[in-house]
Amino acid sequence: MDTSRRLPLPSSGPLRAGLSRRGFATAVLGATAVTGLPAAAAQAAPAVPAPRGTFDPHDWASVRDQFALSRDHLQFSAYVLASHPRPVRDAINRVRDELDADPIAAGAGFIDEDRSLVVRTSLARYLGADADHVALTDSTTMGLALLYGGLRLRAGQEILTSEHDFYATHQALRLRHQRDGTPVRKIRLYDDPARATTDEIVSRIVRALTPRTRVLALTWVNSDNGVKLPSRAVADALRDVNARRARADHVLLCLDGVHGFAAENATMADLGCDFFATSTHKWLHGPRGTGLLWAKPEHWALVRPVIPNFSREGYEGWVGDRDPVAAPAILGTPGGYHSFEHRWAVPEAVRFHETIGRARITERIKSQAATLKDGLRRLPGVRVLTPDSPSMSAGIVCCTVEGWPAARAEHELRASHQVIATETPYAEPHLRFGPTIVTAPEQVEKVVTAVAALR
Ligand SMILES: Cc1ncc(COP(=O)(O)O)c(C=O)c1O
């Protein structure tokens, strides 16, 4: 079937030229060390505005200078929604200009597969994974909904989650339960977050598993208290459990990874999970409204897509009245046209991070978090909820302040001390801080002084 006569294929470009998509991605990624855009598009794109000053990735002040964040406040809330660094802003502007000038030539005419492959390839590199297994989403919440809404489960198989998970996981599971009655059970993984240990968490999980448990739905770094789950140890324990089970009954480890992604320097192999959902618009400082869902290659078949994808294979299947055949992550990427100026700028965020150095960024975040926890812990009336140990925590630091409901503390810190922190969106809110690459050690000291002044 010559679908090119029916489908709106691009009149030029690599697909026309007969280049395979993988070859295209390699060619493009090799050719776009600066722009992250396909070579043809990059040539046509307007010139990149000259950066203000020279960006020195080894100088934290220079890194901070790449952000347009207001200097009136100390910005300790990147865990909510990122500010874009200059290379990401420039890429977004560039693509927006292209789309405004000629959406078809920019790549939106025939689906977005070429430029999105560049995005999937750069995210895959970051995850230590393969582009064929990285579906693009708009957020962690969307990824979790696709996963928990689409997972094929046998009648009676249950989902085990924790009481500490966020709304995005709990509500996706509630919707699943309402749709088909899938049982969902919640357990406590620890009683005191500050004292949570790997042994305690792993043993509680293993004890809670039943022969019916098919899915373990957890959050890598809890956003209510900053506890980082020992994903690798959980995965190792599940490996032993699964060794005694039929493949169709294996327990699948699914992670909301958003507060570890780009705060921790870890690959999917390091985590050992089976599914991983995150956005890029928190710790990676990626374009707002972009994210991914990754699955181990052998598990993608377990996820039934719920939103039609916009891919060549999808259209060919439709035209031929048959199921589309394509890489699982292509079929798992929700279609419809998107805010492509954001999606196609994702490689710039990855490149920005890699240029600074992933290990350096993690070390910068963790050392500030350690200083912050140490300073807060010394204050009378302050209870730090986040564990001390770097293996049990990441960048999020949470606490309570005696006599100060979290919302009032948030308001007072902003109004009187120019510190931006937030209350956590949970039933019992806590006060939460996020040291990142836009904050500095001397600012951490000021935060501690500001919290002390709440007394
Ligand atoms: C644990 C957790 N998961 C998911 C989200 C939502 O992230 P996204 O905007 O990527 O859906 C948040 C907070 O915004 C969160 O704290």
Side-chain angles (χ1 to χ4, degrees):
M1 178 178 56
D2 178 12
T3 51
S4 64
R5 260 175 286 154
R6 304 188 200 184
L7 302 175
L9 289 170
S11 55
S12 62
L15 287 177
R16 261 296 181 222
L19 204 58
S20 75
R21 271 195 244 134
R22 185 165 297 285
F24 172 70
T26 312
V28 164
L29 285 169
T32 57
V34 177
T35 64
L37 301 176
Q43 277 163 20
V48 181
R52 198 178 34 194
T54 315
F55 171 40
D56 177 359
H58 302 291
D59 173 6
W60 289 114
S62 176
V63 170
R64 175 65 179 81
D65 282 346
Q66 305 310 304
F67 292 83
L69 280 163
S70 153
R71 306 259 170 180
D72 298 341
H73 291 85
L74 306 185
Q75 306 277 353
F76 279 80
S77 67
Y79 49 74
V80 177
L81 192 58
S83 168
H84 299 155
R86 173 170 290 274
V88 174
R89 287 203 306 282
D90 288 347
I92 290 171
N93 291 340
R94 206 161 45 225
V95 181
R96 182 181 296 123
D97 287 348
E98 284 184 56
L99 286 164
D100 283 339
D102 187 343
I104 306 298
F110 176 70
I111 321 165
D112 64 313
E113 57 186 7
D114 295 343
R115 297 181 86 162
S116 285
L117 178 58
V118 179
V119 178
R120 291 196 289 113
T121 303
S122 81
L123 287 171
R125 190 180 65 232
Y126 198 81
L127 298 172
D130 187 297
D132 278 352
H133 309 129
V134 178
L136 300 180
T137 65
D138 295 351
S139 62
T140 318
T141 306
M142 180 189 273
L144 294 173
L146 294 170
L147 173 60
Y148 296 132
L151 259 178
R152 297 169 200 264
L153 300 175
R154 290 201 317 275
Q157 286 189 317
E158 70 161 14
I159 300 176
L160 183 67
T161 186
S162 85
E163 292 180 8
H164 321 285
D165 280 77
F166 181 57
Y167 164 79
T169 289
H170 283 170
Q171 186 62 8
L173 297 181
R174 182 191 289 263
L175 293 174
R176 175 67 189 246
H177 174 73
Q178 288 172 350
R179 202 171 303 123
D180 66 2
T182 298
V184 177
R185 204 153 45 89
K186 289 182 193 164
I187 57 166
R188 277 189 89 66
L189 300 178
Y190 40 80
D191 294 321
D192 179 355
R195 292 169 188 274
T197 63
T198 295
D199 284 352
E200 180 185 28
I201 291 170
V202 172
S203 63
R204 286 192 188 201
I205 289 172
V206 171
R207 274 204 307 273
L209 296 173
T210 75
R212 299 182 139 204
T213 312
R214 174 64 160 147
V215 175
L216 184 56
L218 298 175
T219 293
W220 184 12
V221 179
N222 196 269
S223 53
D224 190 36
N225 53 32
V227 172
K228 182 177 76 174
L229 293 192
S231 175
R232 182 75 251 173
V234 174
D236 289 345
L238 291 185
R239 195 190 50 222
D240 294 343
V241 170
N242 288 339
R244 299 188 290 274
R245 293 184 177 211
R247 180 165 285 276
D249 293 326
H250 280 188
V251 183
L252 303 167
L253 176 56
C254 306
L255 287 185
D256 169 342
V258 74
H259 292 298
F261 180 71
E264 293 284 320
N265 185 13
T267 63
M268 295 300 96
D270 295 331
L271 293 178
C273 57
D274 296 298
F275 293 91
F276 184 90
T278 186
S279 55
T280 77
H281 57 217
K282 293 185 193 288
W283 300 81
L284 188 72
H285 302 275
R288 293 179 284 268
T290 60
L292 67 95
L293 174 63
W294 170 87
K296 277 188 182 158
E298 64 270 30
H299 294 329
W300 262 115
L302 296 172
V303 186
R304 189 182 279 121
V306 291
I307 299 179
N309 70 93
F310 270 27
S311 67
R312 178 183 302 270
E313 295 87 347
Y315 277 104
E316 285 175 353
W318 175 55
V319 169
D321 196 23
R322 55 171 173 71
D323 281 340
V325 180
I330 289 183
L331 300 179
T333 294
Y337 293 106
H338 298 276
S339 42
F340 289 127
E341 53 271 66
H342 280 217
R343 176 168 289 182
W344 294 340
V346 164
E348 286 305 331
V350 173
R351 201 180 331 274
F352 183 66
H353 244 237
E354 289 174 339
T355 303
I356 297 167
R358 292 177 61 163
R360 285 184 67 233
I361 288 175
T362 297
E363 150 53 27
R364 177 79 169 173
I365 291 171
K366 281 188 178 273
S367 67
Q368 290 180 82
T371 311
L372 182 54
K373 284 182 274 192
D374 191 49
L376 292 174
R377 199 171 299 108
R378 292 166 194 269
L379 302 178
V382 173
R383 187 162 78 92
V384 176
L385 304 166
T386 310
D388 246 355
S389 155
S391 66
M392 297 300 295
S393 60
I396 286 184
V397 175
C398 296
C399 69
T400 59
V401 185
E402 200 182 325
W404 285 84
R408 198 153 71 87
E410 171 182 338
H411 179 266
E412 179 66 9
L413 286 175
R414 177 186 271 267
S416 303
H417 302 278
Q418 293 73 50
V419 170
I420 301 182
T422 64
E423 68 164 342
T424 61
Y426 287 77
E428 271 180 46
H430 301 135
L431 185 58
R432 175 172 56 169
F433 303 89
T436 61
I437 56 174
V438 305
T439 60
E442 57 278 15
Q443 295 183 346
V444 171
E445 304 294 344
K446 288 186 182 163
V447 169
V448 174
T449 306
V451 174
L454 294 176
R455 308 298 313 139

